[in-house]
Amino acid sequence: MIRSVNPATGQVVQTFEEWSADTTRETLDGVAAAWEPWSETALSERAAILRKAARILRDNRIELADLMAMEMGKPVTQGRLEIDKSALVCEYYAENAERHLAPEPVEGVGSKAFVSYEPLGTVLAVMPWNFPFWQVFRIAAPTLMAGNAMVLKHASNVPMCAQAIEKVLDQAGLPENVFRTLMIGAGQVENVLAHDSVAGVCLTGSDAAGRSVAAVAGRNLKRSVMELGGSDPFVVLADADLDKAVQVAVCSRCKNTGQACIAAKRFIVMEDVYDEFVARMKDGMTALKMGDPMDPETYLGPMATEVLRAELQHQVDRCVEAGGILVLGGSVPDGPGAFYPPTIITNVSADAAVVQEELFGPVALVFKVGSEQEAVELANATPYGLGGSVWAGDGNKGLELAARIRTGSVFVNALVSSTPELPFGGIKASGYGRELSAWGIREFVNVKTTVVG
């Protein structure tokens, strides 16, 4: 049984029967049959569909944001921005796919040689609940524009969002069965990947989920892109603009109730400004309104599930056991819903076991360092490598440090984010492969060499 549960109230919204293996296989067969004609459509035709999808998303941004609030607790103001961003990525690939996929001539080989980018078949997307529209559309837009078909195995707590995505693409004019939502649990992913028509898988989720699905893809010789967890460092140098740094720190740690892989999680602050930074961050986090995600004034909604909240509380307790000092928050509030308060913990040992984990909620660990070298070493002392930021008054110094931080992306004096124009992904336990930009659309294509003698 797949259930949609409102995390603000704990009430079940709707239930769905999980598909049988036969239904799943029949659906995959239908998608495979739809792929061949879709792969031969003109790029201009695919682009027109994505542009229409963008319009439909924007026209329905309020209703779709309300749906996210109800299913996974995202405050509606943030949800509307997510829908806008989903529309933006559709338009980006509608405008740029032809350029990204254009054949590239190679000089000096035969009378003519070129590299072309051709679709592979069906791509499986295993997607998370925290950005239930953006995560899907940032894969769907390049996948469909490249001429592939796509099947979505969405997180089990957002089935209504999954259905809404399929409806948007259907209304936009995407041919039947080119995109399908699979109402299945994690147990069926292995069989989906084994289906002959499925050419690869893109997963966004935990490193544990990534290891499991990547192993299945490897056994089946299927391509995979893994965008996994993060424990992003937020390095603050002594000459940083503290007003801006604190403002972004609070946003990065608490937006989407802290449930983001690229949220700053470890705040590494030079001792000269450490006390002031902690005090200002406490004030900023205290001022955030926590409550009903349907209220436009709410900044912090509930966590997605009570199970996730319990796991976060366990991590906070372990931080304190490891010597951490609670500066703010740190305990489950009374009342219904999976709410968790903004929390700041200082004095945690850098080698404490919990520091090597991802804290997926509004909990900030703040570390004091005495040198830039110590800051870089601490920033890199994690199994993850997704994103990070450096805050410095001297921009050149910021770039210098950024070059030494081992992550897929580093932002200097700016919030770490993903945008259609830039490749996005991580290294180490944060995964491999890239989404977005030209790199993203070329992950699931045949890079084909053609030579004329």
Side-chain angles (χ1 to χ4, degrees):
M1 184 73 69
I2 297 173
R3 301 194 311 159
S4 175
V5 179
N6 187 332
T9 64
Q11 295 179 336
V12 176
V13 178
Q14 193 170 346
T15 60
F16 303 84
E17 288 292 335
E18 182 178 339
W19 287 0
S20 68
D22 287 343
T23 299
T24 302
R25 184 172 56 255
E26 289 168 5
T27 301
L28 291 172
D29 290 343
V31 173
W35 168 67
E36 193 81 39
W38 173 250
S39 70
E40 296 171 355
T41 59
L43 277 165
S44 59
E45 183 179 337
R46 300 175 204 164
I49 292 171
L50 280 189
R51 289 191 185 96
K52 187 172 181 181
R55 291 196 297 273
I56 294 169
L57 285 166
R58 291 197 177 97
D59 288 346
N60 294 276
R61 67 194 296 267
I62 293 176
E63 294 83 358
L64 295 175
D66 288 352
L67 178 58
M68 279 189 277
M70 181 177 64
E71 275 208 305
M72 51 73 61
K74 188 187 299 291
V76 290
T77 304
Q78 297 172 32
R80 292 168 192 172
L81 294 174
E82 178 173 335
I83 296 301
D84 292 342
K85 192 173 181 180
S86 300
L88 186 66
V89 77
C90 290
E91 291 171 336
Y92 171 82
Y93 280 107
E95 294 296 326
N96 294 283
E98 186 170 4
R99 175 168 58 89
H100 293 331
L101 298 173
E104 299 178 6
V106 178
E107 302 297 332
V109 182
S111 63
K112 182 179 182 180
F114 59 92
V115 175
S116 56
Y117 302 99
E118 299 180 353
L120 289 173
T122 301
V123 175
L124 167 64
V126 182
M127 292 289 105
W129 47 263
N130 56 337
F131 292 91
F133 282 82
W134 164 244
Q135 299 277 13
V136 175
F137 275 99
R138 80 181 190 191
I139 300 302
T143 295
L144 297 173
M145 279 302 300
N148 294 308
M150 180 171 157
V151 291
L152 168 64
K153 189 281 175 212
H154 218 324
S156 59
N157 60 322
V158 289
M160 296 173 71
C161 288
Q163 289 184 331
I165 291 167
E166 183 173 323
K167 183 178 179 181
V168 167
L169 291 169
D170 180 61
Q171 291 176 336
L174 191 70
E176 185 179 5
N177 283 333
V178 172
F179 178 99
R180 290 298 307 272
T181 286
L182 308 178
M183 283 294 185
I184 63 173
Q188 288 200 53
V189 168
E190 184 166 359
N191 287 337
V192 172
L193 265 176
H195 194 277
D196 288 343
S197 69
V198 175
V201 58
C202 181
L203 178 142
T204 299
S206 68
D207 57 309
R211 293 174 198 276
S212 176
V213 172
V216 174
R219 286 199 301 273
N220 287 279
L221 297 178
K222 304 294 177 72
R223 288 195 193 185
S224 59
V225 171
M226 297 287 141
E227 194 268 281
L228 310 178
S231 184
D232 285 13
F234 188 105
V235 179
V236 182
L237 301 186
D239 66 342
D241 178 343
L242 282 191
D243 288 337
K244 185 178 180 183
V246 169
Q247 179 186 20
V248 174
V250 171
C251 170
S252 182
R253 183 63 294 215
C254 295
K255 185 178 179 181
N256 203 37
T257 316
Q259 301 167 124
C261 53
I262 54 171
K265 299 183 176 77
R266 296 175 300 129
F267 298 84
I268 300 166
V269 186
M270 295 296 291
E271 58 187 357
D272 294 353
V273 293
Y274 175 84
D275 290 338
E276 185 178 359
F277 180 88
V278 172
R280 289 197 192 187
M281 190 174 187
K282 179 182 178 182
D283 289 343
M285 292 174 75
T286 301
L288 299 177
K289 179 179 179 180
M290 181 170 70
D292 181 3
M294 300 296 285
D295 181 351
E297 299 299 317
T298 294
Y299 193 88
L300 278 161
M303 294 186 64
T305 70
E306 292 189 359
V307 171
L308 292 168
R309 182 178 67 172
E311 291 173 354
L312 182 67
Q313 182 64 62
H314 180 58
Q315 289 177 303
V316 169
D317 292 341
R318 287 165 55 216
C319 279
V320 174
E321 291 169 4
I325 298 172
L326 277 173
V327 174
L328 180 68
S331 61
V332 173
D334 295 330
F339 293 93
Y340 199 83
T343 297
I344 298 175
I345 307 175
T346 62
N347 202 50
V348 182
S349 171
D351 57 6
V354 70
V355 175
Q356 301 302 308
E357 302 167 3
E358 180 178 31
L359 280 80
F360 217 62
V363 177
L365 304 183
V366 190
F367 301 87
K368 182 192 296 186
V369 292
S371 68
E372 292 170 5
Q373 178 62 27
E374 186 182 356
V376 170
E377 290 175 357
L378 184 54
N380 291 332
T382 172
Y384 297 104
L386 190 57
S389 62
V390 177
W391 296 83
D394 181 343
N396 289 329
K397 175 61 70 176
L399 285 171
E400 231 176 79
L401 258 68
R404 299 167 62 194
I405 293 177
R406 296 193 291 273
T407 54
S409 63
V410 184
F411 286 61
V412 178
N413 295 333
L415 174 72
V416 178
S417 61
S418 58
T419 182
E421 298 84 359
L422 297 172
F424 178 76
I427 59 172
K428 301 192 288 184
S430 291
Y432 54 81
R434 290 296 179 265
E435 299 172 357
L436 301 172
S437 73
W439 285 266
I441 199 170
R442 292 175 181 174
E443 286 285 3
F444 293 105
V445 295
N446 174 19
V447 182
K448 184 176 180 179
T449 297
T450 300
V451 178
V452 179

